[in-house]
Amino acid sequence: MRTMAADAAGGEALGETVRELREAYERGRTRSLAWRQAQLRGILRLLKEKEVEAFQALHKDLGKHHAEAYRDEIGLLIKSANGALQQLGKWMAPERVWVPLIAWPATAQVVPEPLGVVLIFSCWNVPLGLSLEPLIGALAAGNAVALKPSELSPCTARFLADNIGMYVDPSAVKVVQGGPDVGEHLMEHRWDKVLFTGSPRIARSVMAAASRHLTPVALELGGKCPCIFDAMPGARDLQVSVNRIIAGKWSSCAGQACIAIDYVIVEERFAPVLIKVLRSTLKRFFQEPEHMARIVNRRHFDRLSGLLRDRAVAPSILHGGSMDAKNLYIEPTILLNPPLDSEIMTEEIFGPLLPIITVKKIEDSIAFVNAKPKPLAIYAFTRDAALRRRIVDETSSGSVTFNDAVVQYAMDGLPFGGVGQSGFGQYHGRYSFEMFSHKKAVMKRGHLIELTLRYPPWDESKVTLMRYLYRFNYFAFVLSFLGLRR
């Protein structure tokens, strides 16, 4: 049991960490383009020189094959850091804003500035990627950063703690290891931004703690990401689509991913065809158990096995269902129409279990999706342009991907983030830079022209002129600047 003295000592050490970060930022060392570029190059060297150690850590924590680890984490991080290096000067440049002639002489611009000292809580399922991806954005934006990896991926957390300081500025970037108590201590301090990736339950605590200092928070929370599967007219399209579904479910950390497919909606008439191809492809893809990651720990294994042992759910199992508690392995499992009020259909699965829900016609899937909280992602496999338009127009989610799954995470040009209960705040690529920046409005005006319209004493002629000017957006913009509009 931790003693009060130990808690006090731990809190004091964390306080010193925060003070050092604040001092590094306030000295201005993080603001220059050269410093930011040096940090990004350091992360690239880390990923190159410590690749084998990173693979080993990810395998120990999650049983990830090194091909999956490179595809989903290391390779994406290299792409992200290189992209930030190439674009950083452009991102940092002030953006000129148009000023109407009536305000002349004047100039206006938006200047991105660092927020200050930021805190990043990463998650255990993509422990390297969800640590370094936001770190790349925070450093590109010129911040000092505290990174708190998940204690549920201890080998990756230790890898980061042992190596980060060797490749980036240790006075401005610090890795803090520990469990929930450490996270609570960290949230006692003032931060300029907090990014949390994890469960809604813990996110509520993070937001409550952040409110004491009015700290802005970004949350990436996941949810039940649906996959709408329309009938595929050709055998090749069907097989390619199934390949991508499997990659978006079982080949993404065994389904333990916030953007993994949670369930599939398909028409009754087409369900047998889809299930047949799913089963045959699963047998081909996962002949060797080591080609799929394992469940992170016994607690999550027991939770997932409990979903399958539910008496109301067990009859719906069509494929798989075998479990190996010793090795924390659950076979890829397909279920057909489990009860909609069962836990497997009301809570995020976060594992290798895939319910398939049938509907009379595929258009009914839109109402089904809308009856649930807004997901982080919606996937739809269809050639029907009208259905695609309806999905975009009539549903709400962090992202929509047609005819593939999960790949949107790798697109730096697309913002990554949720909406509603799946989170808020967006990052990746330039969006990461912007999430950790403040867009400061800067305006400078000369003295050559002065409008008396804005000043008392008031008379009806001024009111008449204002009424006239307010009809036109061009002049309304000027009057807003002059303080005549609220």
Side-chain angles (χ1 to χ4, degrees), residues 199-396:
S199 71
R201 177 181 61 84
I202 300 175
R204 292 185 180 94
S205 299
V206 170
M207 286 198 70
S211 69
R212 292 196 292 268
H213 298 288
L214 296 180
T215 299
V217 177
L219 302 177
E220 197 275 276
L221 305 178
K224 293 184 74 66
C225 299
C227 174
I228 298 168
F229 199 94
D230 199 3
M232 288 289 163
R236 183 185 181 280
D237 285 358
L238 174 60
Q239 184 62 67
V240 170
S241 298
V242 166
N243 293 348
R244 294 172 180 178
I245 285 178
I246 292 175
K249 176 63 175 181
W250 292 283
S251 185
S252 294
C253 198
Q256 300 170 108
C258 56
I259 54 172
I261 294 171
D262 194 274
Y263 62 95
V264 173
I265 306 173
V266 65
E267 288 185 353
E268 286 179 355
R269 65 183 178 87
F270 194 67
V273 177
L274 173 62
I275 291 167
K276 178 181 178 181
V277 181
L278 275 170
R279 295 174 76 166
S280 63
T281 308
L282 279 170
K283 291 177 182 177
R284 179 162 50 90
F285 279 10
F286 297 111
Q287 295 181 24
E288 303 295 334
E290 62 266 23
H291 289 168
M292 188 176 79
R294 61 170 172 79
I295 308 306
V296 65
N297 57 28
R298 185 56 188 260
R299 180 171 66 86
H300 282 279
F301 178 90
D302 290 343
R303 177 185 62 82
L304 290 164
S305 60
L307 296 179
L308 294 180
R309 289 178 177 141
D310 183 331
R311 290 184 179 180
V313 170
S316 65
I317 298 174
L318 291 182
H319 175 88
S322 66
M323 294 172 278
D324 180 353
K326 180 181 178 181
N327 293 304
L328 298 177
Y329 176 81
I330 297 179
E331 184 183 9
T333 302
I334 300 172
L335 306 94
L336 180 62
N337 288 322
L340 296 182
D341 60 353
S342 61
E343 189 176 352
I344 200 170
M345 286 307 300
T346 58
E347 301 294 328
E348 185 177 10
I349 294 171
F350 228 69
L353 320 177
L354 182 65
I356 294 178
I357 305 300
T358 60
V359 291
K360 292 295 184 182
K361 58 183 186 298
I362 199 63
E363 289 78 10
D364 296 339
S365 61
I366 293 175
F368 190 96
V369 169
N370 285 339
K372 296 182 177 295
K374 298 175 181 180
L376 184 59
I378 292 175
Y379 305 109
F381 289 80
T382 180
R383 285 182 166 185
D384 188 338
L387 179 61
R388 290 198 298 268
R389 284 194 300 271
R390 287 195 62 190
I391 291 170
V392 172
D393 293 343
E394 299 177 25
T395 67
S396 181

Side-chain angles (χ1 to χ4, degrees), residues 126-142:
V126 189
L128 194 64
L130 293 177
S131 296
L132 297 186
E133 181 72 38
L135 179 63
I136 288 168
L139 293 176

